[in-house]
Amino acid sequence: MRSICEPVPSLGSLDRVTIQDGILRLQGWVFCLKNQPIDSFQVFCQGEPLTNWVEMAANLPRPDIQQAFPTIPAAANPRFRIFIPVTNQQQEQLRDNLITVIPLIDGEPGCALCNLLEPKLPLPDAEMVEAIGGGFAGVAFQFLAQFIQRAGLE
């Protein structure tokens, strides 16, 4: 049994997972609740690391997040992007598989962020999402990331 991992307190979202011109593009936002900068990231697909980045940028400004969390200085620069070249075969393997991004804060893992590239199962329509309180996919991925990171769900 895997041990439980207690991540560095952080908050964020892996907003976009796309493939364009042979590049897996991961974009979102994350900040450390202890106001430390994000040093780097670990990226996984189906638990396998993806490490051949052509670009990784972190701690970029995002005014909407700063407005949402005005008392947390680190929220001023939470945006990130990670670009990873992928072959045609890798592109097919990535579709409908969970992508996990873990921010590294002073070398330690922060809270995992998850999303899917082109999920096969449809998301509920807008009316249904509103009926259950909105933010369905984001909340679902937050819960899933917690189960994976803290309880070792595979």
Side-chain angles (χ1 to χ4, degrees), residues 4-5 7 15 18 22 25-26 30 34 37 44 47 61 63 68 73-74 78 91 99-100 108 110 121 126 145 147 150:
I4 294 175
C5 174
D15 294 334
T18 59
R25 298 168 183 265
L26 309 172
V30 64
K34 295 181 176 182
F44 300 91
Q91 289 179 39
I99 305 294
T100 304
E108 296 296 320
L121 289 175
F147 290 137
R150 293 176 182 256

Short mmCIF file of all heavy atoms in Angstrom, two decimals, residues 4-5 7 15 18 22 25-26 30 34 37 44 47 61 63 68 73-74 78 91 99-100 108 110 121 126 145 147 150:
data_model
loop_
_atom_site.label_atom_id
_atom_site.label_comp_id
_atom_site.label_asym_id
_atom_site.label_seq_id
_atom_site.Cartn_x
_atom_site.Cartn_y
_atom_site.Cartn_z
N ILE A 4 0.41 7.85 2.26
CA ILE A 4 -0.34 9.06 1.94
C ILE A 4 0.62 10.22 1.77
O ILE A 4 1.53 10.41 2.58
CB ILE A 4 -1.38 9.36 3.04
CG1 ILE A 4 -2.43 8.25 3.06
CG2 ILE A 4 -2.03 10.71 2.84
CD1 ILE A 4 -3.42 8.36 4.18
N CYS A 5 0.43 10.99 0.73
CA CYS A 5 1.28 12.14 0.44
C CYS A 5 0.56 13.41 0.89
O CYS A 5 -0.56 13.67 0.47
CB CYS A 5 1.58 12.20 -1.05
SG CYS A 5 2.48 13.68 -1.56
N PRO A 7 0.62 17.11 0.37
CA PRO A 7 1.25 18.12 -0.49
C PRO A 7 1.41 19.46 0.21
O PRO A 7 0.74 19.75 1.20
CB PRO A 7 0.27 18.23 -1.65
CG PRO A 7 -1.05 17.83 -1.08
CD PRO A 7 -0.74 16.80 -0.01
N ASP A 15 -6.69 24.23 -16.54
CA ASP A 15 -7.84 24.72 -17.30
C ASP A 15 -7.95 24.14 -18.70
O ASP A 15 -9.04 23.86 -19.17
CB ASP A 15 -7.79 26.25 -17.44
CG ASP A 15 -7.95 26.96 -16.11
OD1 ASP A 15 -8.56 26.39 -15.19
OD2 ASP A 15 -7.47 28.10 -16.02
N THR A 18 -4.77 20.65 -24.58
CA THR A 18 -5.01 20.58 -26.02
C THR A 18 -3.75 20.05 -26.70
O THR A 18 -2.65 20.08 -26.13
CB THR A 18 -5.36 21.95 -26.62
OG1 THR A 18 -4.28 22.86 -26.37
CG2 THR A 18 -6.65 22.50 -26.02
N GLY A 22 1.34 19.10 -33.03
CA GLY A 22 2.23 18.12 -32.41
C GLY A 22 2.73 18.51 -31.03
O GLY A 22 3.67 17.89 -30.52
N ARG A 25 -0.34 21.00 -25.05
CA ARG A 25 -0.35 22.32 -24.41
C ARG A 25 -1.19 22.23 -23.13
O ARG A 25 -2.38 21.95 -23.19
CB ARG A 25 -0.92 23.38 -25.34
CG ARG A 25 -0.09 23.55 -26.60
CD ARG A 25 -0.79 24.39 -27.66
NE ARG A 25 -0.01 24.47 -28.86
CZ ARG A 25 0.82 25.46 -29.15
NH1 ARG A 25 0.97 26.47 -28.32
NH2 ARG A 25 1.51 25.44 -30.27
N LEU A 26 -0.53 22.48 -22.02
CA LEU A 26 -1.17 22.46 -20.71
C LEU A 26 -1.16 23.88 -20.17
O LEU A 26 -0.10 24.50 -20.07
CB LEU A 26 -0.42 21.52 -19.77
CG LEU A 26 -0.15 20.11 -20.30
CD1 LEU A 26 0.75 19.35 -19.36
CD2 LEU A 26 -1.45 19.37 -20.55
N VAL A 30 -2.00 28.11 -10.68
CA VAL A 30 -1.76 27.50 -9.37
C VAL A 30 -0.91 28.45 -8.54
O VAL A 30 -0.04 29.15 -9.07
CB VAL A 30 -1.07 26.11 -9.50
CG1 VAL A 30 0.32 26.22 -10.11
CG2 VAL A 30 -1.02 25.40 -8.16
N LYS A 34 1.33 29.28 0.95
CA LYS A 34 2.38 29.80 1.83
C LYS A 34 3.16 30.92 1.14
O LYS A 34 4.22 31.32 1.59
CB LYS A 34 3.34 28.68 2.24
CG LYS A 34 2.68 27.62 3.10
CD LYS A 34 3.68 26.57 3.50
CE LYS A 34 3.06 25.54 4.44
NZ LYS A 34 4.04 24.54 4.88
N PRO A 37 7.00 30.77 -4.50
CA PRO A 37 6.83 30.63 -5.96
C PRO A 37 6.80 29.16 -6.38
O PRO A 37 7.32 28.28 -5.69
CB PRO A 37 8.06 31.34 -6.53
CG PRO A 37 9.08 31.24 -5.45
CD PRO A 37 8.32 31.28 -4.15
N PHE A 44 2.19 14.00 -15.74
CA PHE A 44 1.96 12.57 -15.90
C PHE A 44 0.75 12.32 -16.80
O PHE A 44 -0.21 13.07 -16.77
CB PHE A 44 1.68 11.90 -14.55
CG PHE A 44 2.80 12.05 -13.56
CD1 PHE A 44 2.84 13.12 -12.69
CD2 PHE A 44 3.82 11.11 -13.51
CE1 PHE A 44 3.86 13.26 -11.78
CE2 PHE A 44 4.85 11.25 -12.59
CZ PHE A 44 4.88 12.32 -11.73
N GLY A 47 -0.16 7.97 -15.17
CA GLY A 47 0.87 7.68 -14.18
C GLY A 47 2.29 7.69 -14.71
O GLY A 47 3.25 7.58 -13.95
N PRO A 61 1.30 36.53 -14.56
CA PRO A 61 0.13 37.24 -14.02
C PRO A 61 -1.19 36.71 -14.56
O PRO A 61 -1.27 36.22 -15.69
CB PRO A 61 0.34 38.69 -14.47
CG PRO A 61 1.40 38.66 -15.49
CD PRO A 61 2.16 37.38 -15.38
N PRO A 63 -4.94 38.44 -13.70
CA PRO A 63 -5.72 39.38 -12.89
C PRO A 63 -7.00 38.81 -12.29
O PRO A 63 -7.38 39.17 -11.17
CB PRO A 63 -6.04 40.53 -13.85
CG PRO A 63 -4.95 40.46 -14.88
CD PRO A 63 -4.63 39.00 -15.03
N ALA A 68 -9.91 37.32 -7.31
CA ALA A 68 -10.65 36.31 -6.54
C ALA A 68 -10.01 36.04 -5.19
O ALA A 68 -10.70 35.65 -4.24
CB ALA A 68 -10.76 35.02 -7.34
N PRO A 73 -0.84 37.15 -1.63
CA PRO A 73 0.09 37.75 -2.59
C PRO A 73 0.46 36.83 -3.76
O PRO A 73 0.58 37.29 -4.89
CB PRO A 73 1.31 38.09 -1.74
CG PRO A 73 0.76 38.28 -0.36
CD PRO A 73 -0.36 37.28 -0.25
N ALA A 74 0.61 35.54 -3.52
CA ALA A 74 1.01 34.61 -4.58
C ALA A 74 -0.05 34.48 -5.67
O ALA A 74 0.25 34.04 -6.78
CB ALA A 74 1.33 33.24 -3.99
N PRO A 78 -0.29 33.46 -10.81
CA PRO A 78 -0.50 32.03 -10.72
C PRO A 78 -0.50 31.27 -12.06
O PRO A 78 -0.51 30.04 -12.08
CB PRO A 78 -1.89 31.94 -10.10
CG PRO A 78 -2.61 33.08 -10.76
CD PRO A 78 -1.56 34.18 -10.85
N GLN A 91 -0.07 11.08 -29.33
CA GLN A 91 -1.31 11.85 -29.37
C GLN A 91 -2.52 10.95 -29.19
O GLN A 91 -3.44 11.27 -28.42
CB GLN A 91 -1.43 12.63 -30.68
CG GLN A 91 -0.46 13.78 -30.78
CD GLN A 91 -0.58 14.52 -32.10
OE1 GLN A 91 -1.68 14.73 -32.59
NE2 GLN A 91 0.55 14.95 -32.66
N ILE A 99 -4.58 13.55 -17.52
CA ILE A 99 -3.32 14.29 -17.46
C ILE A 99 -3.25 14.90 -16.06
O ILE A 99 -4.20 15.55 -15.61
CB ILE A 99 -3.28 15.43 -18.51
CG1 ILE A 99 -3.55 14.89 -19.92
CG2 ILE A 99 -1.96 16.19 -18.42
CD1 ILE A 99 -2.51 13.98 -20.48
N THR A 100 -2.14 14.68 -15.38
CA THR A 100 -1.95 15.21 -14.04
C THR A 100 -0.72 16.11 -14.03
O THR A 100 0.34 15.72 -14.53
CB THR A 100 -1.75 14.07 -13.01
OG1 THR A 100 -2.86 13.19 -13.08
CG2 THR A 100 -1.61 14.61 -11.60
N GLU A 108 9.22 20.45 -3.34
CA GLU A 108 8.20 19.56 -2.78
C GLU A 108 6.92 19.65 -3.60
O GLU A 108 6.58 20.72 -4.12
CB GLU A 108 7.90 19.93 -1.33
CG GLU A 108 9.08 19.75 -0.39
CD GLU A 108 9.50 18.29 -0.27
OE1 GLU A 108 8.61 17.41 -0.21
OE2 GLU A 108 10.72 18.03 -0.25
N GLY A 110 3.16 20.20 -4.68
CA GLY A 110 1.94 20.88 -4.26
C GLY A 110 0.75 20.00 -4.60
O GLY A 110 0.91 18.83 -4.97
N LEU A 121 -16.58 10.27 -22.62
CA LEU A 121 -17.87 10.45 -21.95
C LEU A 121 -18.25 11.91 -22.01
O LEU A 121 -17.44 12.78 -21.67
CB LEU A 121 -17.78 10.00 -20.49
CG LEU A 121 -17.68 8.51 -20.24
CD1 LEU A 121 -17.49 8.23 -18.76
CD2 LEU A 121 -18.90 7.79 -20.77
N ALA A 126 -25.26 22.30 -20.05
CA ALA A 126 -25.19 23.51 -19.21
C ALA A 126 -26.34 23.58 -18.22
O ALA A 126 -26.15 23.97 -17.06
CB ALA A 126 -25.17 24.75 -20.09
N ALA A 145 -8.09 14.45 -8.21
CA ALA A 145 -6.68 14.74 -7.91
C ALA A 145 -6.36 14.46 -6.44
O ALA A 145 -5.30 13.92 -6.12
CB ALA A 145 -6.36 16.19 -8.27
N PHE A 147 -7.90 12.29 -4.45
CA PHE A 147 -7.87 10.84 -4.24
C PHE A 147 -6.58 10.22 -4.78
O PHE A 147 -6.01 9.32 -4.16
CB PHE A 147 -9.08 10.17 -4.91
CG PHE A 147 -10.39 10.48 -4.26
CD1 PHE A 147 -11.49 10.78 -5.02
CD2 PHE A 147 -10.53 10.46 -2.87
CE1 PHE A 147 -12.72 11.07 -4.42
CE2 PHE A 147 -11.74 10.74 -2.27
CZ PHE A 147 -12.85 11.04 -3.04
N ARG A 150 -3.46 11.92 -2.40
CA ARG A 150 -3.47 11.67 -0.95
C ARG A 150 -3.72 10.22 -0.56
O ARG A 150 -3.26 9.78 0.49
CB ARG A 150 -4.50 12.57 -0.28
CG ARG A 150 -4.13 14.03 -0.36
CD ARG A 150 -5.23 14.89 0.24
NE ARG A 150 -4.91 16.27 0.14
CZ ARG A 150 -4.49 17.04 1.14
NH1 ARG A 150 -4.33 16.53 2.32
NH2 ARG A 150 -4.24 18.30 0.94
#
